[in-house]
Amino acid sequence: MDEVFELPVHFNGQNMLLPAQLQALGYSHRILVTIKDHVVIFEPDEERNYRAVSSDPEKIPDLQLVQAIVTTIESLFK
């Protein structure tokens, strides 16, 4: 069962709402976040820290934005 929601992210002094989708995967999950028409997958690692996975890293607009998303996800899901 997938849940669609908007992820609130504070970045560069702005509050943003990014489209996101929570996907359950067995005993784990992943979160798909759309950043400027590119989907980045955030999934927990063995230590329950989130990592970003992208099929095309060149399309990610800003790595600092990705870090801000990780910080937000960790504050909401830990």
Side-chain angles (χ1 to χ4, degrees):
M1 181 153 121
D2 298 343
E3 295 292 327
V4 178
F5 62 99
E6 290 184 326
L7 183 69
V9 177
H10 184 76
F11 177 67
N12 277 349
Q14 298 179 16
N15 291 322
M16 311 165 100
L17 288 175
L18 299 174
Q21 180 179 9
L22 175 65
Q23 292 182 336
L25 300 170
Y27 292 105
S28 188
H29 65 280
R30 65 184 187 177
I31 301 165
L32 287 66
V33 179
T34 303
I35 306 170
K36 294 186 180 179
D37 298 326
H38 181 69
V39 176
V40 179
I41 300 169
F42 295 86
E43 53 190 23
D45 61 16
E46 296 79 23
E47 297 173 356
R48 306 227 1 112
N49 296 314
Y50 283 84
R51 61 178 168 226
V53 178
S54 173
S55 61
D56 190 357
E58 298 296 320
K59 289 188 178 182
I60 297 174
D62 191 338
L63 292 179
Q64 292 178 341
L65 175 57
V66 171
Q67 183 57 47
I69 294 169
V70 168
T71 301
T72 300
I73 290 173
E74 288 180 346
S75 71
L76 294 173
F77 288 92
K78 275 192 169 182

